[in-house]
Amino acid sequence: MAYRETDQVRARKAAQREHLLVSAEQLVREGGFANLTMQTLARQARVGVGTLYRYFDNKGRLAAEVFRRATEREVAAVAQAMTHGDTVVARLTHVLQEFVRRAQSAPKLAWALIAEPVDPEVDSERLHYRRQYASLYQALLREGVASGELPEQNIAVVAAAMVGGIAEALVGPLSEPLEQDDVAEALVGFCLRAIGL
Amino acid sequence: MAYRETDQVRARKAAQREHLLVSAEQLVREGGFANLTMQTLARQARVGVGTLYRYFDNKGRLAAEVFRRATEREVAAVAQAMTHGDTVVARLTHVLQEFVRRAQSAPKLAWALIAEPVDPEVDSERLHYRRQYASLYQALLREGVASGELPEQNIAVVAAAMVGGIAEALVGPLSEPLEQDDVAEALVGFCLRAIGL
């Protein structure tokens, strides 16, 4: 009986933690990480501030966890989009259109994930996930070079430059009144030309 | 007499501030912003920690000031390099070679300026200077399109993508044993192709 209760307690804690993280992401979607404090989260999630500290040591850790969950979804979406299409051109075009579409459907979240000035804990996570994006692009480039669809190139440098270029191209336009199609089209053109297509 | 003394005090304070900032940048050159604390700076500059607080409210402000001074030098170097050459190809090639050369001659400083996880104050400055770099590239692109050397393109998106791409391409290679020439060459190729050359 005691054992079952432990399971129940554990399940309840996991559910509570999930509820807190979903509430926290909602705050970031509305106003970036600047909108996420222990106070705003307590209000949003309808719990006491003390309760929050049982789940997250401090705001930096909380922000990093929200960042990780949201970014893992984005990386998975990119990885998934990369499987659509028969050629590197088709697949890269699809990935970029998807990336821009997702960013523009939740512009404050995209800004928060890519560029908002935040705690160093989040900065560290950013570097980690940029390397993951770079690995995905490296794999695509390697395939293209192997099949002869792409010319030989320094894949490490080119993949990194693509990751940085895509992110930065979104940061400006997200805060300016550019049309989604314009950004996606310009970015697709930029990247395809950059890799020799 | 009292007036002259005020001038003297002001000059001494300015000299002291300059000394502190030079010492602080030295710390960043040696170990990034992680190496810059009020304690390490007091030791490096041979002053008391209390003295530091008369010049800088806190470490974030200090780091932001060090960042600004170093980055302004880099932006000026890029602006200067951009005037060398008769064509956009020549000028952009020169800028990129110079940018990579400068980064690789002070790799820890470059890493600190571009990507090290740091205080949000420094993150904010990063965004500000990335817009300055973007303006420089926009001007170059606009000129190239006007003269017919470059094809029509979405200059805002392309300039932003170049700024992000150049920065990110340096971040990886700085921590890996890539040859300077390889990175510069790959980056020049990437950017020239990306803008339609």
Side-chain angles (χ1 to χ4, degrees):
Chain A
M1 197 52 196
Y3 185 71
R4 278 204 64 190
E5 210 170 82
T6 305
D7 275 359
Q8 276 176 8
V9 169
R10 204 178 295 141
R12 208 178 54 224
K13 278 193 177 168
Q16 172 77 303
R17 191 166 194 280
E18 182 65 24
H19 166 62
L20 294 175
L21 286 168
V22 168
S23 304
E25 183 175 315
Q26 189 51 38
L27 289 170
V28 177
R29 281 177 181 271
E30 288 163 12
F33 284 109
N35 195 34
L36 175 63
T37 65
M38 292 307 225
Q39 281 68 32
T40 57
L41 178 54
R43 213 174 311 129
Q44 175 89 1
R46 297 165 191 254
V47 300
V49 170
T51 304
L52 292 185
Y53 281 98
R54 268 188 265 142
Y55 291 89
F56 309 101
D57 288 347
N58 54 54
K59 196 240 154 174
R61 291 277 183 87
L62 167 65
E65 180 74 21
V66 172
F67 178 91
R68 261 193 302 274
R69 283 164 58 105
T71 303
E72 268 167 19
R73 253 189 348 250
E74 296 307 312
V75 171
V78 164
Q80 171 65 23
M82 222 169 245
T83 64
H84 290 242
D86 294 329
T87 60
V88 170
V89 182
R91 288 156 69 192
L92 186 55
T93 302
H94 185 66
V95 164
L96 293 174
Q97 284 168 342
E98 191 59 13
F99 195 74
V100 174
R101 190 190 62 71
R102 291 178 68 89
Q104 292 186 325
S105 72
K108 278 185 187 162
L109 179 64
W111 157 260
L113 296 182
I114 293 173
E116 186 184 0
V118 274
D119 312 80
E121 287 95 330
V122 173
D123 269 351
S124 299
E125 294 293 326
R126 275 186 184 138
L127 291 180
H128 171 71
Y129 284 104
R130 286 166 93 102
R131 278 193 291 269
Q132 289 206 7
Y133 282 121
S135 299
L136 289 172
Y137 287 114
Q138 278 183 20
L140 190 64
L141 292 173
R142 223 175 280 124
E143 232 187 278
V145 171
S147 75
E149 194 185 345
L150 298 183
E152 286 288 341
Q153 52 201 287
N154 186 325
I155 285 176
V157 172
V158 170
M162 282 176 64
V163 171
I166 294 163
E168 191 79 15
L170 280 178
V171 168
L174 281 174
S175 54
E176 287 164 28
L178 277 179
E179 288 301 317
Q180 172 174 332
D181 291 350
D182 289 352
V183 179
E185 198 192 314
L187 202 48
V188 168
F190 178 92
C191 287
L192 292 184
R193 287 192 305 269
I195 63 175
L197 286 169
Chain B
M1 197 52 198
Y3 185 70
R4 278 204 62 189
E5 210 171 84
T6 305
D7 274 359
Q8 277 176 7
V9 169
R10 205 178 294 140
R12 209 177 51 222
K13 276 192 178 168
Q16 172 77 301
R17 193 168 193 279
E18 181 64 23
H19 166 62
L20 294 175
L21 286 168
V22 168
S23 304
E25 184 176 314
Q26 188 52 38
L27 289 169
V28 176
R29 281 177 181 271
E30 288 164 12
F33 285 109
N35 194 34
L36 175 63
T37 66
M38 292 306 224
Q39 280 69 31
T40 57
L41 178 54
R43 212 175 311 130
Q44 174 91 1
R46 297 166 192 255
V47 300
V49 171
T51 304
L52 291 185
Y53 281 98
R54 269 189 263 140
Y55 292 87
F56 308 101
D57 288 348
N58 54 55
K59 196 240 153 171
R61 292 277 183 87
L62 167 65
E65 180 73 20
V66 171
F67 179 90
R68 261 193 301 275
R69 283 165 57 105
T71 303
E72 268 166 20
R73 255 190 345 251
E74 296 307 312
V75 170
V78 164
Q80 171 65 22
M82 223 169 244
T83 63
H84 290 242
D86 294 329
T87 60
V88 170
V89 181
R91 287 156 69 192
L92 185 56
T93 302
H94 185 65
V95 164
L96 293 174
Q97 284 168 341
E98 191 59 13
F99 194 74
V100 173
R101 190 190 62 71
R102 291 178 68 89
Q104 293 185 325
S105 72
K108 278 184 186 162
L109 179 65
W111 157 259
L113 297 181
I114 294 172
E116 187 185 357
V118 275
D119 312 78
E121 287 95 330
V122 173
D123 269 351
S124 299
E125 294 293 327
R126 275 187 184 138
L127 292 179
H128 171 70
Y129 285 104
R130 285 167 93 101
R131 279 193 291 269
Q132 288 207 7
Y133 281 121
S135 299
L136 289 172
Y137 287 114
Q138 279 184 20
L140 189 65
L141 292 173
R142 223 175 279 121
E143 232 187 276
V145 171
S147 74
E149 194 186 344
L150 298 183
E152 286 287 343
Q153 51 201 287
N154 185 325
I155 285 176
V157 172
V158 169
M162 282 176 64
V163 171
I166 294 164
E168 191 79 15
L170 281 180
V171 169
L174 281 175
S175 54
E176 285 165 28
L178 276 180
E179 287 303 315
Q180 172 173 332
D181 291 350
D182 289 352
V183 179
E185 199 192 315
L187 203 48
V188 168
F190 178 91
C191 287
L192 292 184
R193 288 192 303 270
I195 63 176
L197 287 169

